[in-house]
């Protein structure tokens, strides 16, 4: 299993600013995943962060808008840049510690952009 | 590319009635399948998972699901629901044999249980 801590748990931000979300895992993992859950919607994969290399972004998400860092095997950050109200969502960090395991999720960061 | 289709966006049922939440997946390779539940204003909780072996999988809170490879389905069932089962349910898939593969989620089904 894995325990994930995400910070902040929630924030209200002004449009045009940036917010960095931190994700700490209690064990070493090769890959960490970032998801977005828009209000009333499902989870959409933003990117996969692999330690020692650039993150891999899904279609519709770009590095300039969502830069990701992965400095070691237990930590990652996601930055939401130049925010607009459309970025208001829950952002979740996730890991899968092994091939035959489920995904574990942090409690999420509830972001409101005003 | 893999994808997940949850056929019902909303399922209203009465308490103690049976329920089935439908999920179909699309993948060209073997898959791992999952059901997660999200209670209002809470995080995601794993209900059950299919990795291999028996196609009937039992999970928490009395839920079970059956993996049907020929129909590419993984429907979730409960013989008798409670008010407390009211939540959002997500079916998810990963192409199982690659380490660290991300889960892809369906759009979710809102289960509403009333008395």
């Amino acid at each position: 299993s894995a325990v994930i801590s995400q910070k902040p748990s929630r924030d209200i931000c002004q449009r045009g600013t940036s917010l960095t979300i931190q994700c700490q895992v209690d064990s070493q993992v090769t890959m960490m995943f970032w998801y977005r859950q828009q209000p009333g919607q499902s989870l959409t994969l933003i990117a996969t962060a692999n330690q020692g290399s650039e993150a891999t972004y899904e279609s519709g998400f770009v590095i300039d808008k969502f830069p990701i860092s992965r400095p070691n095997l237990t930590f990652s950050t996601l930055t939401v840049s130049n925010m607009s109200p459309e970025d208001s969502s829950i952002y979740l960090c996730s890991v899968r510690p092994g091939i035959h395991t489920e995904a574990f999720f942090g409690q999420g960061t509830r972001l409101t952009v005003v | 590319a893999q994808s997940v289709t949850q056929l019902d966006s909303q399922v209203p049922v009465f308490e103690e009635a049976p329920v089935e939440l439908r999920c179909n997946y699309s993948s060209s390779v073997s898959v791992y399948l999952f059901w997660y539940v999200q209670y209002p204003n809470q995080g995601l909780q794993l209900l059950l998972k299919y990795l291999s072996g028996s196609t009937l999988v039992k999970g928490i809170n009395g839920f079970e699901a059956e993996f049907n490879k020929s129909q590419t389905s993984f429907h979730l069932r409960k013989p008798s629901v409670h008010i407390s089962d009211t939540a959002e349910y997500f079916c998810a898939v990963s192409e199982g044999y690659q380490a660290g593969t991300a889960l892809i989620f369906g759009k979710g089904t809102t289960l509403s249980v009333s008395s």
Side-chain angles (χ1 to χ4, degrees):
Chain A
S1 68
V3 177
I4 301 174
S5 300
Q6 253 185 266
K7 290 192 294 187
S9 59
R10 59 178 63 232
D11 207 341
I12 301 173
C13 300
Q14 296 292 321
R15 66 177 67 202
T17 63
S18 298
L19 176 72
T20 295
I21 302 167
Q22 298 181 6
C23 178
Q24 179 76 50
V25 188
D26 68 343
S27 58
Q28 293 184 343
V29 291
T30 304
M31 294 182 185
M32 297 176 74
F33 308 103
W34 287 97
Y35 290 85
R36 180 177 72 182
Q37 187 176 24
Q38 295 177 299
Q41 304 295 317
S42 182
L43 282 76
T44 300
L45 181 65
I46 297 172
T48 299
N50 195 354
Q51 196 269 335
S53 63
E54 283 197 10
T56 302
Y57 290 83
E58 298 298 308
S59 175
F61 297 96
V62 295
I63 188 171
D64 290 346
K65 176 68 175 177
F66 298 101
I68 289 171
S69 77
R70 184 78 200 277
N72 58 54
L73 291 173
T74 63
F75 187 80
S76 178
T77 67
L78 170 76
T79 299
V80 186
S81 303
N82 188 25
M83 288 183 286
S84 67
E86 291 71 35
D87 295 319
S88 297
S89 296
I90 298 174
Y91 293 85
L92 297 120
C93 174
S94 174
V95 301
R96 288 186 75 190
I99 297 174
H100 306 296
T101 66
E102 65 269 32
F104 296 87
F105 291 85
Q107 284 299 302
T109 296
R110 185 180 295 270
L111 170 63
T112 302
V113 183
V114 297
Chain B
Q2 56 191 320
S3 66
V4 179
T5 302
Q6 291 186 242
L7 297 161
D8 307 294
S9 59
Q10 296 189 2
V11 175
V13 295
F14 288 107
E15 193 173 20
E16 298 183 7
V19 70
E20 177 180 82
L21 307 184
R22 297 181 293 169
C23 173
N24 285 90
Y25 68 92
S26 174
S27 176
S28 59
V29 298
S30 298
V31 296
Y32 289 168
L33 294 156
F34 308 85
W35 277 99
Y36 284 82
V37 60
Q38 188 175 39
Y39 298 102
N41 297 313
Q42 294 190 27
L44 284 162
Q45 181 179 5
L46 180 72
L47 271 178
L48 48 79
K49 60 186 176 185
Y50 172 79
L51 304 179
S52 65
S54 173
T55 57
L56 183 62
V57 179
K58 294 189 182 298
I60 63 171
N61 301 339
F63 284 93
E64 64 180 32
E66 185 160 17
F67 170 60
N68 188 319
K69 187 174 182 179
S70 63
Q71 297 187 6
T72 61
S73 67
F74 191 55
H75 300 334
L76 181 71
R77 302 185 182 98
K78 187 170 183 178
S80 176
V81 295
H82 303 288
I83 297 285
S84 59
D85 292 322
T86 294
E88 191 77 14
Y89 291 80
F90 295 101
C91 181
V93 64
S94 77
E95 292 181 343
Y97 300 148
Q98 297 181 31
T101 306
L103 267 58
I104 303 302
F105 285 80
K107 292 188 179 298
T109 297
T110 302
L111 176 63
S112 300
V113 183
S114 57
S115 57

